[in-house]
Amino acid sequence: MNVNLFLLIAFCIAILFILFLVAKLRRVRGQLSIIEEALEDIKSGNLNHRMLAKRNDMTRKICYGINDIAMNSQTQLIRQKQSEQAYKRLMTSISHDVKTPLASLVGYLEAIECKIVAGAEKDEYVHVAFEKAHYLKHFVENLFEWVKLDSGEQIFHFEISDLNELSRNIIVDWISVLENSNFDYVFDIPETEYLMRIDTNAYSRILNNLLQNVLIHSKGTKIIFHVFENDLQAKITITDNGKGISPDHLPHIFERMYQCDQSRSAGGNGLGLSIVKELVAAHKGTITACSTPNRGTTFTLLLPKSL
């Protein structure tokens, strides 16, 4: 009797287990059908599709994986569209920045070639043509460097160098330029040695671009260059007493091809500061700017002592 009862209980348990498996398989089958529909929807281009799953669902990891794929694909698509828009703006800006001075250069040279001008006026035309050609050369060099940085093709050579000595060597070449431009200057660079890993060419380009930005766009009369150092990083500030940058434009000055007459970039090509930002990032550093309209601007460069 006890044996029959045991067999009956075992049979009931087996039936219940089979029913449970059937129900589970049906649910899995239904989930697989939903997954198939979701994949078709995502495949057709709907990257906003997301799948819901309970914690005890057997297909939970698959659903979450599909959601991750859709989110990553959506992020890549957004970045691709942003990149395409940025390059369209870049091409438009390049066309304008090259076409205008080039047309002007051709005009001056044609006047000289056709002997329309002579004497002092001819010398003036030659001087203006030279400046236009120099602008185009500088623009092409900046553009070439920016393209290499943006594509990750720029090769850096990091080596142990004395930051202070390197800074002095760069700054000394600017003294005559600043004096000829009627700029007062204060250079505060420690006499002590400060060794750090740095790409000397990139660092030179960073300082040259920042100083050129002040000289051309600040409309100021004084520049202050400070180097502060500790065991972790070097802090370099470049301050001018010029017209400053309005709060509307300040967040955008390091963007590529950013130009606005009310910012410092009027007359530039919008590449100098964006190159600075990329070169600083290659050194794991940061570059920021703070400004007060009509009172001046300060660029602050932070470079870690060890990469």
Side-chain angles (χ1 to χ4, degrees):
M1 185 68 178
N2 290 336
V3 173
N4 293 334
L5 180 61
F6 176 78
L7 291 175
L8 179 62
I9 293 174
F11 178 76
C12 292
I13 292 175
I15 293 296
L16 291 174
F17 182 71
I18 292 172
L19 292 175
F20 171 78
L21 288 179
V22 170
K24 196 73 172 178
L25 289 173
R26 284 182 177 178
R27 178 166 177 79
V28 170
R29 184 176 179 180
Q31 291 173 342
L32 291 175
S33 178
I34 294 174
I35 290 174
E36 184 179 5
E37 293 177 359
L39 288 174
E40 289 296 327
D41 193 26
I42 293 173
K43 184 178 178 181
S44 65
N46 182 17
L47 298 179
N48 291 316
H49 195 116
R50 299 292 182 269
M51 300 194 62
L52 301 177
K54 296 181 180 179
R55 295 184 60 181
N56 59 347
D57 285 344
M58 295 180 64
T59 59
R60 182 183 72 257
K61 290 185 178 180
I62 297 176
C63 293
Y64 292 165
I66 292 174
N67 289 342
D68 288 340
I69 292 173
M71 291 171 60
N72 292 335
S73 298
Q74 190 176 44
T75 301
Q76 291 178 2
L77 182 61
I78 291 173
R79 289 176 178 173
Q80 181 181 351
K81 290 183 177 179
Q82 290 175 339
S83 180
E84 289 175 354
Q85 293 174 354
Y87 272 100
K88 287 180 181 178
R89 293 195 299 268
L90 176 62
M91 292 301 106
T92 301
S93 298
I94 290 175
S95 176
H96 176 270
D97 288 333
V98 172
K99 183 178 180 180
T100 302
L102 185 59
S104 177
L105 174 61
V106 171
Y108 281 104
L109 293 178
E110 284 181 346
I112 296 171
E113 179 69 19
C114 298
K115 303 185 186 310
I116 297 175
V117 293
E121 189 177 10
K122 178 181 177 180
D123 293 339
E124 180 64 23
Y125 272 48
V126 170
H127 177 70
V128 174
F130 174 80
E131 289 184 340
K132 298 292 183 182
H134 185 73
Y135 168 85
L136 288 171
K137 176 178 177 292
H138 179 67
F139 177 80
V140 171
E141 289 174 347
N142 272 344
L143 180 61
F144 181 68
E145 182 168 3
W146 181 86
V147 169
K148 289 198 299 182
L149 288 169
D150 188 60
S151 62
E153 296 179 358
Q154 179 77 11
I155 299 176
F156 293 95
H157 300 282
F158 294 99
E159 55 187 9
I160 302 298
S161 301
D162 180 2
L163 181 72
N164 294 329
E165 182 65 21
L166 179 59
S167 298
R168 279 189 289 269
N169 291 336
I170 297 170
I171 290 298
V172 71
D173 292 333
W174 279 89
I175 292 178
S176 61
V177 178
L178 292 172
E179 290 178 346
N180 291 335
S181 300
N182 298 317
F183 257 82
D184 293 329
Y185 51 85
V186 175
F187 299 142
D188 184 10
I189 303 174
E191 295 294 333
T192 57
E193 186 179 60
Y194 190 80
L195 298 178
M196 63 182 296
R197 286 182 59 82
I198 195 170
D199 183 301
T200 56
N201 290 330
Y203 181 69
S204 298
R205 190 59 183 269
I206 290 170
L207 293 193
N208 287 334
N209 280 15
L210 290 174
L211 291 169
Q212 185 176 38
N213 183 272
V214 172
L215 187 66
I216 296 176
H217 305 301
S218 72
K219 307 300 181 184
T221 59
K222 185 176 183 178
I223 184 171
I224 302 174
F225 181 92
H226 276 295
V227 178
F228 308 91
E229 300 158 345
N230 57 37
D231 293 337
L232 299 178
Q233 65 181 8
K235 177 182 177 182
I236 301 162
T237 62
I238 298 178
T239 303
D240 66 66
N241 65 343
K243 64 179 182 180
I245 308 171
S246 72
D248 293 337
H249 303 303
L250 190 60
H252 306 289
I253 61 173
F254 293 105
E255 295 176 5
R256 56 188 175 186
M257 304 304 292
Y258 184 79
Q259 294 183 355
C260 180
D261 289 341
Q262 295 179 7
S263 74
R264 310 160 70 92
S265 54
N269 52 46
L271 288 172
L273 292 182
S274 64
I275 289 174
V276 167
K277 182 179 179 181
E278 295 294 333
L279 294 176
V280 171
H283 287 78
K284 308 301 181 184
T286 60
I287 178 74
T288 57
C290 61
S291 182
T292 302
N294 301 318
R295 296 188 62 182
T297 300
T298 296
F299 288 96
T300 301
L301 172 63
L302 297 178
L303 294 176
K305 187 171 185 179
S306 60
L307 291 175

